[in-house]
Amino acid sequence: MPAEAPPAGAPAARTTAGEDAAAPLAPAARLLPSLAAVYRAQLSRARVARIPLLFVATFQSVGIMILMRGVVDGGSEARAVVAGSAVLVVAFVALNLLAQYFGQLRATGGLDHYATLPVPPAAVVLGAAGAYASFTVPGTVVTAVAGAVLFGLPLGNLWLLAAVVPLAGAALSGLGAALGLLAPRQELATLLGQLGMSAALLLGVLPAERMPQPIGWARDLLPSTYGVEALARAFDPHPDWAAVALDLAVCGAVGVLSLAVATWAYRRASVR
């Protein structure tokens, strides 16, 4: 016998297939578009809020070179002073300020905002690090040119800044982000950022040959050291390009490692 039709007005019975069907999820955000979006947002924010600090970092580095001019005449020591002062601008912004920024985000709950965005954690860390590193380019160029003129160094190989700034910036930004995210308190993140910048100042600007051996070992552990060494070689009349490439390769490897640690620290902090 044919099945009886349901009474008029009665709700239609659900099918098992309808009960099991689920709405498809939106595709996961890809890394590169997410990275570009975070980078643009962070660069816009940094451009508004950090320009005065960039002037401070540049004037600080130029002032250090002027002071060292009375102590260092030329040669390898002058190249070390100029290269270290130029990379110090990167350390001031990418290490010190980024440590403070992520420390503030963690203390004020700002990480919760990023956690709600459909972006991978790596995009947040890399976007912020890239924006802060890019922000240092004008000050680094001004410092390097001013130092070369002050100490009578050749300007022909300053194109190497195009490699030194992003690689040293990646290494120092990753370190700064990791310090800010791992510090249990905002004040401690600020302190660690200041100490990191001071280490870049003392170990990067002062000529290596004048340092005691234990201090030289500490200098080898600082991520920015290899960027300083590569830039210092560029001021040589006949640079050793193989040594420059090796220094840049080490700086790049340290940058990848520090950004990976910063990404892990972001995941750890965002779930607490």
Side-chain angles (χ1 to χ4, degrees):
M1 294 179 61
E4 294 183 359
R14 291 184 180 179
T15 63
T16 304
E19 292 176 349
D20 295 337
L25 296 176
R30 292 177 296 171
L31 176 62
L32 292 182
S34 301
L35 174 59
V38 174
Y39 174 81
R40 288 193 299 268
Q42 288 290 339
L43 190 62
S44 176
R45 178 187 180 279
R47 186 168 57 245
V48 173
R50 303 303 185 186
I51 284 181
L53 294 175
L54 176 62
F55 280 112
V56 171
T58 305
F59 291 152
Q60 170 185 264
S61 293
V62 173
I64 289 172
M65 291 189 299
I66 293 174
L67 290 175
M68 294 297 293
R69 185 65 180 86
V71 180
V72 175
D73 294 328
S76 62
E77 294 183 348
R79 294 193 291 270
V81 169
V82 176
S85 299
V87 176
L88 181 62
V89 179
V90 182
F92 183 88
V93 176
L95 193 161
N96 183 27
L97 296 186
L98 199 58
Q100 295 181 35
Y101 172 69
F102 274 107
Q104 180 184 14
L105 278 184
R106 182 179 179 184
T108 58
L111 291 180
D112 296 336
H113 165 70
Y114 283 105
T116 61
L117 298 178
V119 296
V124 177
V125 174
L126 293 176
Y132 275 71
S134 300
F135 189 59
T136 67
V137 172
T140 304
V141 173
V142 169
T143 302
V145 172
V149 173
L150 184 64
F151 285 91
L153 301 176
L155 297 170
N157 293 323
L158 281 185
W159 56 264
L160 194 65
L161 285 172
V164 171
V165 171
L167 293 177
L172 293 172
S173 296
L175 179 59
L179 292 176
L181 290 166
L182 294 175
R185 296 175 57 188
Q186 180 180 354
E187 296 80 6
L188 186 56
T190 301
L191 175 62
L192 292 175
Q194 292 283 352
L195 290 176
M197 190 199 68
S198 299
L201 167 61
L202 297 175
L203 302 179
V205 175
L206 298 179
E209 52 267 25
R210 296 195 178 188
M211 297 181 182
Q213 188 61 43
I215 303 299
W217 294 336
R219 183 175 183 271
D220 293 338
L221 297 176
L222 190 67
S224 59
T225 295
Y226 302 96
V228 172
E229 291 290 340
L231 185 57
R233 296 180 196 277
F235 289 119
D236 196 298
H238 304 286
D240 184 353
W241 294 113
V244 170
L246 179 61
D247 287 330
L248 292 178
V250 173
C251 192
V254 173
V256 171
L257 179 61
S258 65
L259 289 172
V261 172
T263 302
W264 169 81
Y266 172 83
R267 292 178 184 271
R268 179 176 178 271
S270 61
V271 299
R272 289 195 167 190

